[in-house]
Amino acid sequence: MRFKNILLCRLAYAGYMQNVGIPPVGIAYLSQSLLKEGIEHSICDLGLYPQRCEKERLYKEIKEKNPDVLAISMMTLGYKSHYTLLNNIK
């Protein structure tokens, strides 16, 4: 099965200094590979505005985009809250 619509997402990390406005390199590489293969995708970078409510923004993106695949980039920092978020998405 070939996926037609993929949502690449970076989660925010409370209290962690991020490069605001600069997409993470990993997501940028994935995006370029998907472009080369002609696979429709979008990027949801929740780290751009970490002060806003992450859950509602992510739910809104998922509802609007209705992706076949949701790919989430996360680090060990804050993994427990992110696993809870992922279980709620399921």
Side-chain angles (χ1 to χ4, degrees):
M1 177 182 175
R2 185 173 167 104
F3 301 110
K4 296 181 181 177
N5 183 13
I6 297 174
L7 177 59
L8 303 174
C9 182
R10 176 174 75 152
L11 301 177
Y13 298 90
Y16 179 71
M17 185 74 170
Q18 298 186 52
N19 294 322
V20 176
I22 301 172
V25 175
I27 288 179
Y29 284 136
L30 287 172
S31 177
Q32 183 61 35
S33 295
L34 293 169
L35 280 173
K36 282 183 180 180
E37 294 298 317
I39 299 172
E40 183 180 331
H41 68 284
S42 54
I43 297 174
C44 175
D45 189 351
L46 298 174
L48 289 175
Y49 305 102
Q51 70 277 11
R52 295 187 187 166
C53 190
E54 168 179 274
K55 274 194 293 189
E56 281 75 19
R57 288 177 54 218
L58 181 56
Y59 294 155
K60 181 181 175 190
E61 286 286 326
I62 292 169
K63 189 173 184 174
E64 286 177 3
K65 308 288 185 192
N66 193 25
D68 297 323
V69 174
L70 174 62
I72 295 184
S73 170
M74 60 183 180
M75 299 185 301
T76 304
L77 178 66
Y79 77 95
K80 288 182 182 180
S81 64
H82 294 154
Y83 281 163
T84 301
L85 178 64
L86 293 174
N87 283 325
N88 290 335
I89 291 170
K90 280 192 208 177

